[in-house]
Amino acid sequence: MPVPRIVAKATRWPTFLGSILLLFWSVVCVALSYHIKWLKLRGKRNDVLGWAAGMKWWIRCRVLKVGSQDLYRKKCVYLFNHRSWGDFIVDQYVTEGRSLFMSRMAVLFVFPTFISALTVLKSIILFKRGAIADKEKFNAWIDEQRANSPQSGLSVYPEGHRSTKRDSLPLKRGMLYYAFSRKLPVQIVIGANKEAIISEKHLTARLGQTAVVGYSEPIMTAEYADFDAFWAKVQETWDRQWQTVFGAAWEGLPELEPVEPDTEYPLSITGRMVLVVIANLLLFCCACWLTFRFWTWLFALFGPLQPAALALSATYLALALWIYSQPVNALQVHTEKLRPGQPAQPAVDMAALLETKKAS
């Protein structure tokens, strides 16, 4: 049922702020649900896939697969489109916890709790944004990070910036030069509707959403004599994969089923992860106690009206959760300016939507 825009805007805060808290305390959440086997010190275990699968479970998200191509599971570079903070969850999930993600240093200060866990797992490379003075030195540093990581893939966002537009941003060539110089295969992974899960640009977050992803065929860098030919192939494959995923009909698509990698962390990693989880649990308990004290103090200010204030707050939260648990196609909501909370139109119409927008 369509919801008036003013109501949808007024009720977007509980799920949006809640999603930020969920990301911040995600290590606690996935440890409590035991999606990361943090007490298992030896044997097969992949905490990166466990984290992503756990977050997907907590937000009740589905990931559907477009096409028959599977994830390339050997050493390679994955190229992702950059939509929103929803990338954190979906992109880790669709690479099956096999990848070393490159991310700006700033994300460590926004989400220090779970980024510190990814650092311990050696599944993230944090770098300072800006011009790189010595590219060869930077590339050698990437080589060193890859060599010391149990991850087989390297994940890159070649658009450089997050964008929820209907069309891709221009691709940056920096890490493509790296892939070409190291003769690493490249696979393009395009995801649609990731921003429906959370969109920091639009200050929205939703439960029970559907993301759609598709893998390109791997591009074997060694088959190209020069960078320009390789670049042309990457651009052509990126554009084709973008249209395939964003133009796909969602109905009837299979749910993506990841294959757990045969990862066995050394005790130096599993032991430190125990400490990370315990530290997160202690901090979480302190935060919960302080939060309880704050809200107790705040509602006490209402005096005899406290029951009414609690009832109104509960009604507001229930309405917000209902509105922001309705499935949407985020591209329609933000591009077509449909009313938030209005159910998504059938995804089979997305190809026509894209063509209409391009024609206009």
Side-chain angles (χ1 to χ4, degrees):
M1 181 176 67
V3 176
R5 187 174 296 276
I6 189 171
V7 175
K9 284 188 174 182
T11 54
R12 64 185 172 178
W13 298 108
T15 53
F16 178 67
L17 296 177
S19 70
I20 295 175
L21 289 174
L22 181 62
L23 279 171
F24 191 90
W25 296 113
S26 58
V27 172
V28 172
C29 294
V30 297
L32 291 175
S33 60
Y34 210 60
H35 282 90
I36 58 170
K37 307 297 189 290
W38 61 284
L39 294 175
K40 182 180 180 180
L41 298 181
R42 297 189 183 279
K44 180 180 175 182
R45 146 186 173 184
N46 188 292
D47 288 0
V48 181
L49 177 59
W51 178 88
M55 290 297 290
K56 175 178 171 289
W57 179 82
W58 277 95
I59 63 175
R60 300 299 188 261
C61 166
R62 292 195 310 155
V63 179
L64 305 182
K65 180 186 172 188
V66 177
S68 58
Q69 181 65 49
D70 291 326
L71 178 72
Y72 185 76
R73 297 183 175 93
K74 299 179 182 178
K75 290 185 178 181
C76 68
V77 173
Y78 300 114
L79 302 181
F80 285 96
N81 60 323
H82 212 359
R83 303 298 287 182
S84 72
W85 284 344
D87 298 348
F88 286 138
I89 300 168
V90 175
D91 297 346
Q92 293 278 16
Y93 185 74
V94 302
T95 52
E96 302 174 343
R98 300 173 187 270
S99 190
L100 185 61
F101 274 73
M102 296 194 66
S103 183
R104 291 180 297 165
M105 184 69 70
V107 76
L108 174 62
F109 301 101
V110 179
F111 299 110
T113 44
F114 88 85
I115 294 298
S116 62
L118 294 178
T119 302
V120 168
L121 294 169
K122 299 183 178 182
S123 61
I124 191 169
I125 298 177
L126 298 170
F127 64 95
K128 293 182 180 179
R129 186 174 179 176
I132 299 172
D134 189 336
K135 291 183 172 58
E136 286 303 319
K137 185 177 179 181
F138 180 78
N139 288 345
W141 177 67
I142 297 297
D143 289 338
E144 182 181 348
Q145 297 296 307
R146 291 180 53 235
N148 294 329
S149 172
Q151 311 298 89
S152 58
L154 178 66
S155 290
V156 176
Y157 294 94
E159 293 173 288
H161 301 278
R162 293 186 184 93
S163 172
T164 55
K165 295 179 179 179
R166 67 184 182 275
D167 299 316
S168 169
L169 297 178
L171 303 186
K172 298 181 181 296
R173 301 190 179 199
M175 289 307 295
L176 291 175
Y177 280 118
Y178 174 84
F180 185 77
S181 67
R182 272 57 178 176
K183 300 304 177 186
L184 288 169
V186 168
Q187 185 174 46
I188 293 164
V189 187
I190 299 296
N193 216 42
K194 293 186 286 186
E195 65 273 28
I197 297 170
I198 180 172
S199 174
E200 63 276 24
K201 177 180 178 180
H202 301 100
L203 304 178
T204 58
R206 296 177 172 87
L207 301 172
Q209 300 303 305
T210 297
V212 181
V213 300
Y215 306 102
S216 77
E217 71 280 3
I219 301 172
M220 299 302 170
T221 311
E223 296 177 359
Y224 296 87
D226 58 75
F227 178 80
D228 288 339
F230 166 66
W231 164 256
K233 178 61 176 177
V234 168
Q235 185 69 69
E236 182 270 329
T237 306
W238 178 277
D239 292 340
R240 174 163 40 84
Q241 194 65 22
W242 187 283
Q243 292 298 326
T244 298
V245 173
F246 278 88
W250 297 1
E251 186 177 357
L253 289 178
E255 191 151 356
L256 188 143
E257 297 290 344
V259 177
E260 186 174 355
D262 294 322
T263 307
E264 291 194 24
Y265 296 121
L267 191 60
S268 60
I269 289 181
T270 57
R272 287 160 65 195
M273 274 301 294
V274 170
L275 297 178
V276 167
V277 171
I278 291 174
N280 271 267
L281 286 168
L282 291 174
L283 287 171
F284 181 71
C285 290
C286 291
C288 287
W289 180 76
L290 291 172
T291 301
F292 175 77
R293 290 291 301 271
F294 169 77
W295 286 109
T296 301
W297 168 81
L298 182 64
F299 279 103
L301 296 178
F302 288 91
L305 296 177
Q306 187 179 88
L310 288 169
L312 285 173
S313 298
T315 301
Y316 172 74
L317 288 174
L319 179 62
L321 287 173
W322 177 77
I323 291 175
Y324 284 93
S325 295
Q326 305 303 308
V328 300
N329 187 316
L331 189 62
Q332 295 171 21
V333 170
H334 302 308
T335 303
E336 293 294 286
K337 303 299 183 184
L338 299 182
R339 282 172 282 179
Q342 184 171 347
Q345 71 182 57
V348 69
D349 296 331
M350 283 303 296
L353 171 64
L354 290 169
E355 293 301 321
T356 300
K357 285 292 178 183
K358 286 187 175 182
S360 60

